[in-house]
Amino acid sequence: MTIFLFLKFGWKMVMLGDETWLKLFPGLFIRHDGVSSFFVKDTVQVDQNVSRHLVDELSRDDWDLLILHYLGLDHVGHIGGRNSILMAPKLLEMDEVVKMIHTSIIMNQENGQGETLLVIVSDHGMTENGNHGGSSYEETDSLALFVGLRNHISDYASYNLNTVSQVDIAPTLALLFGVPIPKNNVGVLISGTFESFTDDQQLKALELNSWQLLRLLQAQLPGLSCENSPCDSFSHDQGSRKSKCNGSMEIMVCCLYRNAVVLHNSWKSKDVSRSYSREDYSSIVAAYYEFLKTASEWLSRRVTDKPVNLLAFGVAAMLLSCLILLCLIFHICKEFYCRETQHFDSISGMYTWNLAETFILGVMLILVISMGSSSMVEEEQYIWHFVTSTLDLLLLRKTMQSLPAEKSRSSFRLYNGTKKIGFQMCSIFVLVISGRTLRGWHQGGVNWTYLPDISKWLEQAGSNYIKLIQLISGLLMISLCLFSLSLLGLRRKLVMVVGFSFLVSGLLLLQHIMLYQENAFVSSSCSATLWVQIIFAVLGIATIGTFMALPWLMPICVSRTYSGHDSHMSTSVPIEIQKKYPLLELKDSLFVTGWAYMFCWCLLQLLLQQPINSAPILLLLVQIFAIMIYSSYWGLHHKQWVEIAALYYLGMAGHFALGNSNTLATIDVAGAFIGMSSYSTLLSGILMFIITYASPILFLLSMVMYISVKDTSYLVIPQNADSGHLLKIMLAFPCLVPLGVNSILLTAYTVVLLLMRNHLFVWSVFSPKYLYVCATTVCVYIGVSSVAGTMIYSFLVLALRKRMQGSSGIDPR
């Protein structure tokens, strides 16, 4: 890199600002003062820590290069967006810094202390909400200003507006400062930056840049030699003639290079009146730039070339693991549903392949095909919204088809059946309404983000309305969760304690919203940070305490009649198995634990997400409870893997409904520092992951409650059933189906990325999407591990307690 070349040539350097410089180049600076670059809550000290040294450094003459890396403007954007109230003051602050440095440069030149070059650059732009990482014009448009290149100070007012690549800055700075170009750089000299040089010096700089790229071309194209190029057929006295360059890449680049060299040599041979031949000079510059741009573009594309054999081996390994997982799912399905048909052979037509199951599998094909289109990757949210809305209609169709079957039964059964179908239809309508609201909340994606949506309308209405919606959403969320806990029918002190602990957490959160969430900057105060840390602690203690203590404290009652939709449990399961395995108590324990997971996660999201996303979090929770009601009343009309796949699809649709996309620009960086008084890479990364994957993890955690409400008692048929068999019954589909769906998508997109490695949008579209796919894989494994861990721990504890009670001769009743 250029900075090592500066050190090699004996330059003394000073660095103030982003501590990343110190981590990349330790020991290179004679003086330095670093600040954390990722603690975005800091918009003041992060710049004052740089500016406080500026006056002293400008008065010194013991350094050759001064690096000032200001971060406040970036932090303001992340917190409040481009229209933040702190944006204009921060820009004025930067103007004053530039003015101070420029004034010092002028004074030094007037005092004969030599010339100084001031370079002002920004590494990226930002979207309207202040983020970056995508490929939009707002994010890729950045500033590069060179001050001090002209011979006369009065000429500073004139400038050239050019569009260049960031890779062009390194060779430009290297030759301006008189050091070699970094050996692997593929940039092109920025035109207009060498106007203070003589014509010979400018052409020499272009010649050095051409030698640099020609050397890289020869490394990429073995055997490339431009000494005997096909276009080398004319002599120097032919002046500014240029041959037409066509053919293969090797022939074309050699031809372009020889054109520039021949013209340059012709220029060198004209010793008389060289300064007057501006036309010849312009032709040489144009010839050099034609070669440089062609070579640079080709070399840049070669960056994506990777060892295909190794990549193919990796894809083959992924494909093999995917096939093993799918075979395991198929084997489990075959085992389960063969047993169902034996146990329910009186029910005809229940196990035929239906439209909903076909659609669930068809969705996978749609997703795999869409991955090959850059436009579909950018607008993936439309696929998930279409999938969930269509699935809701298929569930409604299935429910209405079961209505005639209920009419053929006795009057008592007809009443219960009609009531059940009524609950199912209401839950489907809730899914449809909440899904449509979530669809219109954020106009996600890339191409149509400017279109109106609910969030933009609320932001225009004012922050007071957003805060009111946030408070109402929080109150409704707390009320809904407490009501769902009361439906369990357990009037025990243990459940009341669990509910009270989470009620306290919810009230603390509402108090925090009322006091500190007026805007993003007030919430950065020390008291707000302490309040958030208290909420984190209470939520963590309540959730972990519920998970750890509930199986130990849950009363065991073997012979009681299980109320609710599983009222037939005690008769359908052999009494020996009920005594041997704590199935009923396990369901109660999982229901409360799953409830605690979801309530904790929703409160956490209400705290960390942008205030505008409070209502969508509530709607996601409503969708979960609706699908739980539907699944608990539906029985065997739907295969279990269909319901779990539907939960997975709802989670992915909710991911995009919260404003996420497949570009890095939609990642909420500011929320990752809520409750943090100092910067921590690990903690901020965890919080950022929690915010980004709020919806998928919420639906995965809901699998714990799903296991508790889903009737699987009919599967416990063998009298010699063991613990492994029971765990397989309850955990097989909730764990294997999400893993299987994710494995298909991960493997398919890996193949797509390999095929698209030379695509024009490989870095701006396909690569960011692959990062999201990999992060989704981590999300799925975390969620599945949480579900499996909770189930196994609760089962083992309850089984151990029952065995201990049985051996002690105590009647558990």
Side-chain angles (χ1 to χ4, degrees), residues 528-756:
T529 300
L530 179 61
W531 197 278
V532 172
Q533 291 173 352
I534 293 174
I535 296 175
F536 283 160
V538 174
L539 278 177
I541 293 173
T543 306
I544 297 176
T546 301
F547 162 68
M548 297 294 295
L550 192 64
W552 291 101
L553 302 178
M554 177 66 67
I556 297 179
C557 188
V558 174
S559 60
R560 69 177 174 85
T561 301
Y562 197 82
S563 60
H565 64 277
D566 283 338
S567 58
H568 62 280
M569 182 81 71
S570 59
T571 59
S572 61
V573 181
I575 189 66
E576 294 82 3
I577 296 179
Q578 289 192 52
K579 289 181 178 180
K580 188 176 179 181
Y581 301 109
L583 181 63
L584 305 182
E585 291 76 13
L586 179 62
K587 284 181 172 286
D588 291 343
S589 177
L590 291 178
F591 184 93
V592 179
T593 305
W595 175 91
Y597 285 167
M598 293 192 302
F599 196 9
C600 171
W601 192 259
C602 289
L603 291 179
L604 191 62
Q605 296 302 325
L606 198 62
L607 176 64
L608 297 177
Q609 291 278 346
Q610 296 180 5
I612 199 67
N613 280 340
S614 56
I617 293 297
L618 172 63
L619 293 175
L620 292 176
L621 183 63
V622 170
Q623 283 190 327
I624 288 178
F625 283 126
I627 200 71
M628 293 299 163
I629 294 173
Y630 181 87
S631 300
S632 62
Y633 280 104
W634 198 231
L636 302 177
H637 291 274
H638 273 305
K639 293 182 174 64
Q640 193 177 3
W641 66 267
V642 175
E643 297 172 346
I644 294 174
L647 276 172
Y648 184 92
Y649 292 167
L650 286 172
M652 291 305 301
H655 171 72
F656 292 99
L658 292 175
N660 296 296
S661 69
N662 286 327
T663 66
L664 303 180
T666 53
I667 296 178
D668 185 8
V669 178
F673 297 92
I674 294 177
M676 295 179 59
S677 55
S678 60
Y679 175 69
S680 170
T681 303
L682 178 62
L683 293 179
S684 61
I686 293 174
L687 290 180
M688 194 179 302
F689 182 84
I690 289 174
I691 296 171
T692 305
Y693 287 93
S695 177
I697 294 182
L698 176 62
F699 278 84
L700 288 171
L701 293 177
S702 69
M703 296 290 181
V704 178
M705 180 180 286
Y706 173 83
I707 294 173
S708 69
V709 301
K710 189 64 179 177
D711 178 18
T712 55
S713 61
Y714 56 88
L715 293 175
V716 189
I717 302 301
Q719 295 294 327
N720 58 348
D722 56 8
S723 301
H725 177 75
L726 185 58
L727 287 175
K728 182 176 69 172
I729 288 174
M730 304 186 76
L731 276 179
F733 289 118
C735 292
L736 290 179
V737 172
L739 291 176
V741 173
N742 180 80
S743 179
I744 293 174
L745 298 180
L746 176 63
T747 305
Y749 196 75
T750 303
V751 175
V752 169
L753 188 63
L754 179 61
L755 297 176
M756 296 293 177

Side-chain angles (χ1 to χ4, degrees), residues 766-783:
F766 292 103
S767 294
K769 167 63 178 174
Y770 193 69
L771 294 178
Y772 276 104
V773 171
C774 295
T776 303
T777 302
V778 176
C779 165
V780 170
Y781 275 89
I782 290 175

Side-chain angles (χ1 to χ4, degrees), residues 353-386:
W353 197 262
N354 58 51
L355 185 59
E357 297 167 6
T358 305
F359 179 75
I360 289 292
L361 296 178
V363 168
M364 302 305 301
L365 180 61
I366 294 174
L367 290 170
V368 170
I369 294 175
S370 67
M371 287 177 175
S373 169
S374 61
S375 298
M376 295 303 295
V377 170
E378 291 177 333
E379 309 298 336
E380 186 182 352
Q381 73 277 0
Y382 293 116
I383 298 177
W384 290 110
H385 291 310
F386 163 77

